[in-house]
Amino acid sequence: MAKLVYRFQEGNKEMKHLLGGKGANLAEMVGLGVRVPPGFTITTEACNAYYTHDGQLFDSLIAEVKEHLQGLEEEMGKVLGSLENPLLVSVRSGAVFSMPGMMDTVLNLGLNDQVVEALAQQQDEKFAFDSYRRFIQMFSDVVMGVEKFHFEQVLSRIKAEKGYPEDKDIPAHELRQIVQEFKVIFLAQTGRTFPQDVEEQLFLAIEAVFRSWNNNRAKVYRRLHQISDSLGTAVNIQAMVFGNRGDESGTGVCFSRNPVDGSRELFGEYLINAQGEDVVAGIRTPKSIANLKEDKPAQYQELLGLVEELERHYQDMQDIEFTIEEGKLYLLQTRNAKRTAKAAVRVAVDLVKEGIIDKQEALLRLSAQEINQLLHPQFRPDSLAGAELLATGLAASPGAASGKIYFTAEEATKAAKQEKVILVREETSPEDIEGMVSAQAILTSRGGMTSHAAVVARGMGKSCVCGCQALQIDETTKTVRVGPHLLHEGDVLSIDGATGKVYLGALETSQDSHDEHFQELMTWADRIRPLKVYVNADNAADAKTGLGFGAEGIGLCRTEHMFFEEERIRTVRQMILAKSSEERSVYLDRLEPFQRDDFYQMFKVMEGRHLTIRLLDPPLHEFLPKEEEQIASLAADLGVSLVALKRQLHSLAEFNPMMGHRGCRLGITYPEIYLMQARAIARAALKARKEGTPVQADIMIPLVGIDKELTYLKNLIQTCLEEEMEQAGLRFDYSIGSMIEIPRACLTADQLATQAAFFSFGTNDLTQMTYGYSRDDASKFLESYLDKQILPQDPFVSLDESGVLELMKLAIEKARSVNPEIAIGICGEHGGDPVSIERCSDLGLDYVSCSPYRVLIARLAAAQSQIKKERQIWLDK
Ligand code: ADP
Ligand code: MG
Ligand code: MG
């Protein structure tokens, strides 16, 4: 079997898959000569092998661990379990991708009733028993599943009874007492005495880390972040250094830049005379790293130097864990830091300016999710002006949200199905993860900027205010008191994670992505990408929003949405139910001015950019009333009997409307409908042109599957447009093209392309018809398909590579072979999906079109796929 254990000296940062992120980075730091306590890493492969051995540690693994333990003992000059010279170690999990708080760590392993006495004699009694009580608590929690609160209760009680303000003020004799109580709790909860055999402790802890890979919260986290379940976790065994060895010791966490806004400053927190978990767990409120400058100037300077060195080495912002033992600084972890989207952008831009990375690399560092975060809401200034400030906490993760408050993750999750909720807790723990996912925002009364709540919320892009000490939360009565206010479960609060402010009642929000660094980054993206980004917009307001986000045109304007307004729908219904084409024309003439005005508004906004208008597409009965009352009122409008109308409605109903009388089939059966739309477009365009506004009208015919459909309709529309222009004595630029959304259209794309000026893949319908899945019913079975891994993903979300994409490829080849000039784009939902955009870019499409709020994502994704393509070409050379 392959090697299962590596000394830190043997690894490096490229070995993440084998050593986990933590182990690989510890090894890298050792290689750089940074002061790191020695240790070794059990590989992720060992974890997977553990699972294939039915969840049992196996002999070869045990032997390899023992051999490395011996090596560590020699290196340290200490021995695990020795009374003369005891070695204590930490057992730390380390997955391939960092999963904050997800996996578990045990510190001070190697202590037992004898070793602790030896340590007390050799070193210091208080330190020895403080370490032991921590070890018992962590071991109980991580290895035996005894919940922390059993132990925390004892600590709190003794602090309160004896008036010790903080953990570190508890004297040695009390710590001895606490250890006794902890052991009693252990016995009561597990039915066995606390293990005294140090080797047994070690192997139990290793197994617990392996098992923690499959605990519920780890699974939830992985699902949320799309991390594969099969990666496994590594385990790091590391000699302890002690931050709880008096006032010249301490422990902390620091970021090389501000993870909230990205500004360049050391950012973090520390505690004097404490061990790591205290800072990370968010149980005690630590001091800001700025204070370390005065507290421990020499160590502060050393830390600053190391942080800069590591940042340059990793070429990215770092999140570093450190411990000071009697004045000596050790680093215990470094990793690329989690950050808000705002910070991600600023850091990427600054790293380019500092010459650490290039622009391409900066662009690749941003994710679609982060762009989504940038679109996060903020409270509107007018709404804020009248708001009542309740309290202020730490601004842990930006975004503004209002919602009803709930005090447990479970209740929040339940309530979130109906309404917007805010999860309010003293502090969060990994068990709360589902509640955090479902909440709009998270509010805690304890914990700092690196507490669990803060880190996880930033990762999710969720609004979070933490350490809001004015809150007195009582979970049992489901209330929170804040000064004179007493709030109950279900009361509404508003939270601004960018300022840390908490307001009473609901506030209105607005969105803003006009951050200067972001704008700069996007100009780099635009220069790199050849793929154009259009927006799907049905009205002038959406068009404006889309342009605001940088869309270069409209790739899809659905005209049916224009029919639904109160004053129009009645005429639309009369038009549909008309008995003859003459009668229908009367109603169409009434609708035409409405359409004309819609198009005119949009031409004005677009100022000559492409406006792609799709002619009427859905089956007509979608416009007809379904409820009795409305049917009666329509009968009255039409002057027909209820029975007669119902009969007519019945005759219009279809068994399979998605494959029925819709799209260009309507244009063929009722040419007057498409003619009205063409006329409205022409008149709107001419009006805009008269005012000097440039116009580019692209008329798109939906659901074409036969070339003759296109011939017929193109001719109809062209004649109409030309007539209108002739009459007006003025021209405007137009083109006529086709949607490609039926498999037959792909297969006969060469026949269509001779007539079409452009193609737009309607990938929603194309996916529907390629799979033969009804888009509206697929939810009934897709879940099972995904669960059973029959489908890798929902094909309506991410383009199907082997089917739909192949059809598109074929269509493009055929089309370009007869009409090299033809413009080809995509306007389905996939146009906003980053992975699909990459595929579109690879296919050589000219543009993607997506909904307004996805335009930014599409611009970035288009640039990223271009960069990847160029890098690949470069690599292939
Ligand atoms: P997490 O992944 O939850 O951050 P870690 O394995 O990093 O867990 O451990 C948490 C903290 O425990 C570390 O930040 C560090 O402060 C402390 N710690 C871990 N190992 C040691 C060690 N060998 N010596 C001193 N402190 C340690
Ligand atoms: Mg942990
Ligand atoms: Mg850590």
Side-chain angles (χ1 to χ4, degrees):
M1 183 168 246
K3 185 172 161 67
L4 296 173
V5 183
Y6 287 73
R7 303 165 65 208
F8 288 168
Q9 288 89 328
E10 295 175 296
N12 63 55
K13 70 175 167 36
E14 312 305 330
M15 293 167 75
K16 263 190 179 178
H17 277 267
L18 196 60
L19 304 180
K22 199 179 286 166
N25 286 331
L26 283 167
E28 185 78 11
M29 286 198 288
V30 168
L32 288 173
V34 176
R35 198 182 298 121
V36 170
F40 54 88
T41 305
I42 305 172
T43 65
T44 55
E45 282 174 4
C47 174
N48 288 330
Y50 168 80
Y51 280 107
T52 50
H53 282 82
D54 303 323
Q56 302 283 338
L57 294 178
F58 44 97
D59 292 346
S60 60
L61 177 60
I62 294 173
E64 236 182 291
V65 170
K66 282 189 180 170
E67 186 191 315
H68 279 82
L69 176 63
Q70 208 182 345
L72 181 63
E73 287 172 339
E74 279 158 21
E75 186 173 355
M76 297 300 296
K78 294 179 179 178
V79 176
L80 197 71
S82 144
L83 297 182
E84 283 78 55
N85 218 349
L87 173 69
L88 302 191
V89 296
S90 64
V91 177
R92 317 172 64 188
S93 69
V96 178
F97 300 104
S98 98
M99 297 166 61
M102 286 294 113
M103 311 296 288
D104 293 302
T105 297
V106 179
L107 303 182
N108 310 326
L109 188 142
L111 282 170
N112 60 22
D113 294 351
Q114 267 109 49
V115 174
V116 72
E117 293 296 350
L119 203 64
Q121 280 197 343
Q122 290 154 17
Q123 313 260 347
D124 167 285
E125 186 185 9
K126 180 174 162 184
F127 156 70
F129 280 89
D130 183 58
S131 301
Y132 198 23
R133 64 98 184 160
R134 290 171 185 274
F135 172 50
I136 297 173
Q137 173 171 347
M138 278 188 254
F139 188 88
S140 305
D141 172 28
V142 173
V143 181
M144 308 301 292
V146 182
E147 286 186 72
K148 286 194 190 78
F149 78 89
H150 292 291
F151 305 99
E152 289 290 338
Q153 266 175 356
V154 175
L155 277 184
S156 303
R157 193 193 72 227
I158 289 182
K159 279 193 289 183
E161 274 173 15
K162 305 286 166 76
Y164 307 126
E166 292 184 48
D167 295 359
K168 67 178 167 61
D169 303 315
I170 305 175
H173 69 277
E174 295 283 4
L175 289 166
R176 255 180 199 281
Q177 194 50 45
I178 288 169
V179 162
Q180 286 313 319
E181 280 198 49
F182 277 15
K183 286 198 295 191
V184 172
I185 294 172
F186 186 91
L187 179 63
Q189 294 294 322
T190 66
R192 58 171 290 186
T193 53
F194 191 77
Q196 296 293 310
D197 178 335
V198 292
E199 230 167 55
E200 184 190 358
Q201 292 175 355
L202 179 65
F203 284 106
L204 283 173
I206 292 170
E207 258 197 277
V209 173
F210 285 162
R211 281 202 310 272
S212 78
W213 175 253
N214 273 336
N215 71 26
N216 200 41
R217 60 202 208 217
K219 284 187 184 162
V220 171
Y221 188 91
R222 289 202 291 273
R223 206 176 323 132
L224 192 69
H225 292 265
Q226 283 146 18
I227 296 172
S228 159
D229 285 336
S230 67
L231 291 174
T233 179
V235 187
N236 302 288
I237 315 289
Q238 187 174 27
M240 283 299 300
V241 287
F242 299 98
N244 58 337
R245 211 159 170 176
D247 288 341
E248 290 311 307
S249 304
T251 184
V253 175
C254 79
F255 290 78
S256 57
R257 293 168 200 246
N258 184 316
V260 179
D261 67 15
S263 57
R264 198 174 176 192
E265 61 179 10
L266 206 55
F267 178 99
E269 290 162 331
Y270 72 102
L271 280 167
I272 291 296
N273 198 359
Q275 279 195 323
E277 287 291 308
D278 291 353
V279 181
V280 194
I283 295 171
R284 280 111 202 140
T285 303
K287 288 206 251 181
S288 154
I289 201 91
N291 295 322
L292 190 68
K293 206 169 177 173
E294 281 104 63
D295 259 5
K296 306 247 179 298
Q299 288 82 358
Y300 178 84
Q301 286 309 327
E302 192 185 350
L303 181 64
L304 200 64
L306 284 170
V307 163
E308 283 199 8
E309 182 188 338
L310 288 172
E311 197 182 71
R312 288 203 161 256
H313 182 73
Y314 281 92
Q315 304 186 326
D316 199 2
M317 166 176 167
Q318 295 298 296
D319 167 357
I320 290 165
E321 295 172 6
F322 65 92
T323 287
I324 301 170
E325 183 184 58
E326 301 195 310
K328 206 162 178 183
L329 175 69
Y330 294 85
L331 297 197
L332 285 154
Q333 191 171 343
T334 191
R335 62 182 163 204
N336 293 343
K338 294 213 184 293
R339 62 205 84 174
T340 64
K342 192 179 166 69
V345 168
R346 166 105 190 241
V347 169
V349 171
D350 284 353
L351 288 177
V352 171
K353 297 201 166 146
E354 291 162 30
I356 296 176
I357 58 174
D358 64 15
K359 289 178 183 167
Q360 266 101 338
E361 180 59 33
L363 285 165
L364 288 178
R365 294 228 174 142
L366 277 177
S367 70
Q369 253 174 0
E370 285 169 322
I371 304 273
N372 270 335
Q373 258 193 54
L374 279 183
L375 301 171
H376 265 181
Q378 300 178 312
F379 290 128
R380 286 195 9 210
D382 52 336
S383 189
L384 263 184
E388 187 178 346
L389 183 66
L390 181 69
T392 304
L394 302 174
S397 177
S402 301
K404 295 191 176 174
I405 57 173
Y406 286 88
F407 297 99
T408 67
E410 208 182 332
E411 279 154 345
T413 308
K414 199 155 20 124
K417 299 206 168 87
Q418 271 89 45
E419 57 206 3
K420 299 196 159 157
V421 312
I422 292 176
L423 179 64
V424 180
R425 292 188 63 67
E426 286 195 336
E427 70 219 279
T428 62
S429 76
E431 281 81 12
D432 294 330
I433 192 113
E434 293 203 57
M436 298 173 81
V437 173
S438 55
Q440 301 293 310
I442 296 146
L443 173 62
T444 69
S445 58
R446 294 202 278 185
M449 293 295 277
T450 50
S451 66
H452 180 263
V455 171
V456 174
R458 281 201 290 274
M460 293 180 186
K462 190 151 288 198
S463 163
C464 175
V465 170
C466 64
C468 190
Q469 297 180 353
L471 266 52
Q472 290 170 274
I473 298 170
D474 187 339
E475 227 182 89
T476 48
T477 59
K478 300 185 184 176
T479 56
V480 52
R481 177 169 288 289
V482 192
H485 301 277
L486 183 66
L487 300 169
H488 297 84
E489 179 183 89
D491 286 349
V492 175
L493 286 183
S494 294
I495 297 220
D496 189 339
T499 60
K501 293 194 158 76
V502 181
Y503 304 91
L504 278 174
L507 295 177
E508 284 177 54
T509 55
S510 65
Q511 301 183 311
D512 169 33
S513 58
H514 295 280
D515 172 281
E516 52 174 318
H517 298 95
F518 182 63
Q519 296 301 336
E520 184 165 8
L521 196 81
M522 289 311 280
T523 61
W524 301 346
D526 292 344
R527 253 179 266 146
I528 285 170
R529 67 182 165 90
L531 189 67
K532 293 199 191 77
V533 176
Y534 291 179
V535 65
N536 297 348
D538 303 340
N539 54 52
D542 284 357
K544 260 189 218 155
T545 310
L547 293 187
F549 287 132
E552 293 147 277
I554 290 179
L556 175 64
C557 166
R558 304 175 181 88
T559 50
E560 57 269 21
H561 291 182
M562 299 171 168
F563 284 174
F564 277 104
E565 272 172 43
E566 197 64 41
E567 46 179 341
R568 306 179 187 184
I569 187 72
R570 167 173 287 203
T571 316
V572 171
R573 287 171 176 168
Q574 289 170 324
M575 178 274 284
I576 293 170
L577 294 165
K579 296 266 171 8
S580 65
S581 104
E582 290 75 40
E583 196 192 334
R584 183 166 294 112
S585 296
V586 173
Y587 295 115
L588 284 168
D589 284 346
R590 276 189 215 160
L591 285 172
E592 189 262 313
F594 288 117
Q595 285 254 284
R596 192 196 313 165
D597 193 51
D598 295 329
F599 295 138
Y600 167 74
Q601 305 292 346
M602 294 183 79
F603 283 130
K604 293 299 273 188
V605 173
M606 296 311 288
E607 294 182 309
R609 296 180 189 86
H610 284 277
L611 170 53
T612 314
I613 301 169
R614 181 177 71 187
L615 300 182
L616 197 65
D617 181 49
L620 291 179
H621 65 82
E622 276 191 17
F623 298 103
L624 294 174
K626 294 188 180 59
E627 279 151 36
E628 195 67 27
E629 211 174 302
Q630 288 182 324
I631 298 176
S633 129
L634 181 60
D637 277 351
L638 292 166
V640 298
S641 76
L642 194 58
V643 181
L645 178 58
K646 280 190 174 167
R647 199 179 308 130
Q648 206 185 346
L649 289 178
H650 188 71
S651 75
L652 275 168
E654 293 182 281
F655 287 107
N656 201 342
M658 274 296 173
M659 299 175 85
H661 193 183
R662 55 172 288 224
C664 66
R665 299 157 205 170
L666 292 172
I668 307 249
T669 47
Y670 305 126
E672 54 275 22
I673 297 181
Y674 275 17
L675 273 176
M676 178 279 281
Q677 293 197 295
R679 208 154 46 234
I681 293 166
R683 290 176 182 175
L686 289 165
K687 184 172 173 203
R689 288 290 297 113
K690 263 188 210 126
E691 294 165 2
T693 309
V695 163
Q696 174 63 49
D698 302 309
I699 299 176
M700 182 156 78
I701 301 172
L703 224 68
V704 171
I706 308 168
D707 58 341
K708 293 259 165 47
E709 287 171 331
L710 195 56
T711 319
Y712 174 80
L713 290 169
K714 183 180 171 188
N715 187 24
L716 189 83
I717 293 158
Q718 203 161 18
T719 312
C720 167
L721 299 181
E722 291 295 333
E723 270 172 27
E724 291 291 329
M725 287 193 277
E726 182 104 352
Q727 265 176 32
L730 194 64
R731 292 194 67 82
F732 63 90
D733 291 328
Y734 75 91
S735 74
I736 298 174
S738 168
M739 295 274 296
I740 301 290
E741 49 193 335
I742 291 186
R744 191 180 194 282
C746 295
L747 299 169
T748 60
D750 46 350
Q751 296 165 25
L752 299 173
T754 51
Q755 308 176 59
F758 64 91
F759 275 177
S760 178
F761 287 104
T763 49
N764 301 343
D765 266 308
L766 187 57
T767 300
Q768 164 166 276
M769 294 198 233
T770 300
Y771 276 96
Y773 295 165
S774 156
R775 223 194 307 168
D776 302 316
D777 298 314
S779 61
K780 294 188 184 119
F781 54 84
L782 270 185
E783 191 82 0
S784 308
Y785 272 57
L786 297 174
D787 275 352
K788 301 200 164 121
Q789 301 187 333
I790 289 173
L791 281 175
Q793 77 244 324
D794 181 344
F796 291 103
V797 174
S798 228
L799 270 178
D800 159 46
E801 293 210 20
S802 32
V804 177
L805 219 78
E806 279 302 306
L807 278 172
M808 291 171 68
K809 204 192 268 177
L810 181 78
I812 294 168
E813 274 165 20
K814 283 181 170 260
R816 293 215 170 120
S817 73
V818 296
N819 180 359
E821 298 297 298
I822 192 167
I824 304 181
I826 165 178
C827 65
E829 284 305 307
H830 301 100
D833 169 60
V835 182
S836 306
I837 291 172
E838 195 168 332
R839 298 290 100 79
C840 291
S841 158
D842 293 346
L843 278 183
L845 288 194
D846 298 295
Y847 68 89
V848 296
S849 189
C850 57
S851 59
Y853 281 95
R854 307 192 82 178
V855 166
L856 289 171
I857 293 173
R859 284 165 69 197
L860 179 71
Q864 288 177 335
S865 47
Q866 182 65 19
I867 295 166
K868 287 187 205 161
K869 226 192 296 187
E870 283 170 14
R871 288 196 173 180
Q872 196 53 47
I873 292 169
W874 189 82
L875 279 177
D876 290 344
K877 261 198 237 163

